[in-house]
Amino acid sequence: MSNKALELDGVFAGYGENPVLKGISFSLEEGRRLAVLGPNGSGKTTLLRVLDGLLDWRGKLKILGKDASGMKREELAKSVAMMSQFSGASLPYTVEETVLMGRYVHMPRGIFAGPGEKDRRAARECIRAAGLSGWENRRVTELSGGQLQRVFLARTLAQEPSVILLDEPTSHLDLKYQTELMDYLKNWGQQPGHTVVGVLHDINLALRLADTFLFIKEGKILAFGGKEILTPHLLDETYGMDVAAYMREAADRMEEIINGKHLSKPL
Ligand code: ADP
């Protein structure tokens, strides 16, 4: 029997008087890669914040089989890591220092005692895994968007989580980095005991990464399940437009380029 990574039953969350998540219920087994999809403002990031312990919630939530209501943030951080793009990039830390930030949760004597040899070894291993060997002493403020994203990946891996949360990790990345990151995370998510939950805008990337899909609209679940739930009707309902027609047009345009037909057409 496979273990559950996440179990939500009637989860509500919001900001002050603004209720955002209105009774979210689903469960996800370990080893799954979940894409969270929905229009802007539907509550996708809010859901990630709940799972990362950053936001209060009501209802039932279990993470790796444990009731999350009594969990301290530090305890949660040993299981769940958010691959965040917003912190740690504006100060001139080196790549190694930034990746070591992911180790704090494992430092028994606290961050002020500094990292031990085990932490440094783990950080170096994650830097290697993210393809950044040789860049340890570069300042993160001098890196390109793609390189920076690798640093964030290495920092997330250094936390040694079971569940990685991603919030639109590919915005600002070019196509090559987008696909490389998705493929890396897909592979990571397929390892025993690992689970990935990613908020993604691009359906193509979602299909590349995920085997499970959660559609949210106005704080409620529209659909949850494997690839079999994906229908043109669901995509139209989610985004309020004919998504299939849009994708078909894009595919046709690419086909013209592949066959050189665009050269004989006026712009
Ligand atoms: P999504 O990720 O689907 O675009 P969010 O979860 O970020 O949506 O936001 C859902 C709703 O919550 C939006 O109406 C947004 O304005 C509101 N919201 C998000 N963050 C905050 C916040 N820190 N304080 C108050 N309202 C917020």
Side-chain angles (χ1 to χ4, degrees):
M1 203 184 74
S2 49
N3 297 320
K4 302 278 190 209
L6 302 174
E7 293 162 84
L8 288 81
D9 186 2
V11 167
F12 289 76
Y15 307 91
E17 295 296 297
N18 179 13
V20 176
L21 298 181
K22 298 162 188 156
I24 299 289
S25 306
F26 69 89
S27 69
L28 188 70
E29 289 164 6
E30 283 180 10
R32 294 280 173 193
R33 300 169 315 280
L34 175 71
V36 183
L37 297 148
N40 286 337
S42 56
K44 305 180 295 297
T45 301
T46 302
L47 175 63
L48 291 191
R49 286 194 190 131
V50 165
L51 298 177
D52 199 31
L54 292 170
L55 196 64
D56 287 342
W57 46 272
R58 283 188 295 115
K60 288 188 189 145
L61 169 60
K62 283 188 186 174
I63 294 182
L64 303 177
K66 273 190 172 176
D67 182 355
S69 62
M71 255 188 227
K72 291 213 175 85
R73 187 105 216 287
E74 303 84 74
E75 189 187 351
L76 192 62
K78 287 184 182 164
S79 309
V80 179
M82 177 96 84
M83 186 171 149
S84 160
Q85 30 197 332
F86 300 114
S87 60
S90 53
L91 295 169
Y93 288 117
T94 66
V95 167
E96 187 176 14
E97 285 163 346
T98 306
V99 174
L100 274 167
M101 288 172 196
R103 296 297 305 167
Y104 287 163
V105 62
H106 295 287
M107 293 180 195
R109 290 173 298 137
I111 62 169
F112 297 112
E117 190 40 42
K118 187 168 173 254
D119 299 307
R120 292 196 182 279
R121 247 199 331 271
R124 277 197 296 272
E125 177 51 33
C126 296
I127 287 171
R128 193 196 58 73
L132 287 165
S133 296
W135 288 71
E136 290 81 352
N137 297 317
R138 291 289 289 265
R139 306 248 163 236
V140 292
T141 41
E142 296 164 9
L143 302 184
S144 73
Q147 290 159 342
L148 204 51
Q149 200 68 344
R150 284 171 187 244
V151 177
F152 298 146
L153 173 65
R155 182 177 63 185
T156 307
L157 297 174
Q159 206 173 317
E160 292 180 21
S162 301
V163 182
I164 290 184
L165 308 175
L166 311 158
D167 197 357
E168 291 173 43
T170 56
S171 48
H172 317 302
L173 292 190
D174 65 34
L175 267 182
K176 179 166 170 275
Y177 277 119
Q178 286 185 7
T179 50
E180 277 179 7
L181 181 65
M182 285 301 105
D183 292 349
Y184 185 92
L185 289 165
K186 177 175 182 177
N187 187 275
W188 185 90
Q190 284 171 329
Q191 308 305 313
H194 288 177
T195 306
V196 177
V197 178
V199 168
L200 297 164
H201 272 309
D202 185 324
I203 296 167
N204 274 324
L205 285 178
L207 284 165
R208 194 170 180 118
L209 171 74
D211 59 3
T212 312
F213 302 85
L214 173 67
F215 286 80
I216 306 187
K217 193 168 188 180
E218 293 171 8
K220 293 186 182 156
I221 293 184
L222 277 183
F224 173 79
K227 272 193 185 143
E228 69 282 355
I229 67 161
L230 301 172
T231 61
H233 175 74
L234 175 63
L235 296 176
D236 294 359
E237 194 185 355
T238 306
Y239 295 105
M241 67 174 272
D242 189 345
V243 178
Y246 171 79
M247 301 284 256
R248 216 176 283 125
E249 274 173 32
D252 287 348
R253 272 196 291 274
M254 188 48 76
E255 193 66 30
E256 284 186 357
I257 290 175
I258 291 165
N259 296 321
K261 282 191 187 150
H262 63 300
L263 297 173
S264 54
K265 271 189 166 181
L267 272 178

